[in-house]
């Protein structure tokens, strides 16, 4: 009978160092790092944090340029409800929600799957939601050079839900607009398409 084995690639020296650091953290909070349920936790946590911050090793502009095409389409393109998961840089706790991204091409379009990939690259870094919104917006604007770009992010922050003010139902919305989306009529159309009253 075969055994299950999952193959993942991690930088071993970094993994070993992080594993040791997590062991010290667990000891510091009073855990027994030798007990069965915790024994492999430092290594798991070391691998998890590398995955959750893997965006530092990725170039989002290259993701866009790898699938750019000349196309005479000049109307709004919207990719909405993009799931995102990130880590708040203040407490290293998750925040999660959805991103809505739109652009108006100026002779070039990009493969639709590349927009969520750009969101992931920036989300897989230690972040604040405001900067995450700006990162996505400016990357698309600078790389595609469209007639306009819009980004709205709606997210819940565990640092507000699990600790601090402990408000479980609070949501944070951030937005950014460039080019034609700075016009109220274009921005309003985008907000209507994503089903948000923020206009």
């Amino acid at each position: 009978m075969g055994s299950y084995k999952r193959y993942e690639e991690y930088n071993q020296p970094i993994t070993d160092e992080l594993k040791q650091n997590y062991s010290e953290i667990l000891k510091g909070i009073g855990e027994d790092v030798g007990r069965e349920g915790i024994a492999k936790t430092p290594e798991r946590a070391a691998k998890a944090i590398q995955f959750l911050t893997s965006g530092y090793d990725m170039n989002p502009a290259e993701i866009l340029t790898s699938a750019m095409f000349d196309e005479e389409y000049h109307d709004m393109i919207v990719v909405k409800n993009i799931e995102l998961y990130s880590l708040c840089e203040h407490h290293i706790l998750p925040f999660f929600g959805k991103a809505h991204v739109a652009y108006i091409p100026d002779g070039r379009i990009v493969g639709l799957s590349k927009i969520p990939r750009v969101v992931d690259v920036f989300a897989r870094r230690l972040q604040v939601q405001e900067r995450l919104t700006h990162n996505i917006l400016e990357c698309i604007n600078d790389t595609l050079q469209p007639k306009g770009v819009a980004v709205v992010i709606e997210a819940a922050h565990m640092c507000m839900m699990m600790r601090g003010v402990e408000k479980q139902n609070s949501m944070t919305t951030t937005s950014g607009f460039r080019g034609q989306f700075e016009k109220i009529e274009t921005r309003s159309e985008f907000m209507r398409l994503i089903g948000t009253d923020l206009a």
Side-chain angles (χ1 to χ4, degrees):
M1 184 173 179
S3 62
Y4 169 79
K5 191 176 262 190
R6 182 173 179 177
Y7 294 95
E8 296 175 328
E9 290 186 13
Y10 294 95
N11 182 306
Q12 196 58 51
I14 291 176
T15 301
D16 291 342
E17 183 177 356
L18 289 169
K19 177 181 172 182
Q20 183 60 39
N21 292 338
Y22 276 115
S23 291
E24 294 303 317
I25 290 170
L26 289 169
K27 290 175 187 175
I29 63 172
E31 261 296 350
D32 173 9
V33 294
R35 74 177 178 87
E36 184 180 16
I38 294 289
K40 294 185 178 180
T41 295
E43 183 174 3
R44 292 189 191 105
K47 291 179 177 178
I49 196 67
Q50 288 179 81
F51 173 79
L52 294 171
T53 58
S54 58
Y56 289 115
D57 298 323
M58 300 178 190
N59 186 325
E62 287 182 0
I63 290 172
L64 292 175
T65 56
S66 71
M68 278 175 38
F69 310 99
D70 293 332
E71 187 66 46
E72 291 304 313
Y73 182 87
H74 299 287
D75 294 305
M76 191 183 305
I77 298 169
V78 181
V79 184
K80 66 179 185 177
N81 297 326
I82 302 168
E83 295 178 9
L84 71 86
Y85 303 90
S86 192
L87 292 174
C88 167
E89 66 181 34
H90 299 143
H91 302 98
I92 317 183
L93 287 173
F95 67 93
F96 57 93
K98 53 190 176 181
H100 313 288
V101 180
Y103 71 100
I104 300 172
D106 189 15
R108 290 185 295 184
I109 62 171
V110 66
L112 293 177
S113 69
K114 304 307 177 186
I115 300 293
R117 289 186 187 279
V118 168
V119 172
D120 281 347
V121 167
F122 288 117
R124 289 178 184 163
R125 301 176 182 183
L126 297 183
Q127 279 286 10
V128 294
Q129 185 174 329
E130 297 87 343
R131 185 171 65 244
L132 176 58
T133 304
H134 180 82
N135 287 158
I136 297 164
L137 180 79
E138 295 302 336
C139 178
I140 295 170
N141 193 54
D142 293 346
T143 308
L144 284 183
Q145 298 183 342
K147 294 179 180 177
V149 185
V151 177
V152 169
I153 293 178
E154 301 169 286
H157 292 248
M158 297 305 286
C159 59
M160 290 179 64
M161 297 165 72
M162 292 178 67
R163 59 166 303 282
V165 294
E166 296 184 66
K167 299 302 181 187
Q168 279 71 42
N169 297 312
S170 64
M171 294 287 292
T172 300
T173 302
T174 49
S175 62
F177 307 98
R178 292 290 181 274
Q180 290 189 8
F181 286 97
E182 295 176 85
K183 299 177 181 177
I184 188 65
E185 61 271 20
T186 309
R187 185 161 68 247
S188 296
E189 179 185 354
F190 168 63
M191 292 303 183
R192 180 180 57 79
L193 289 170
I194 67 173
T196 298
D197 294 329
L198 183 73

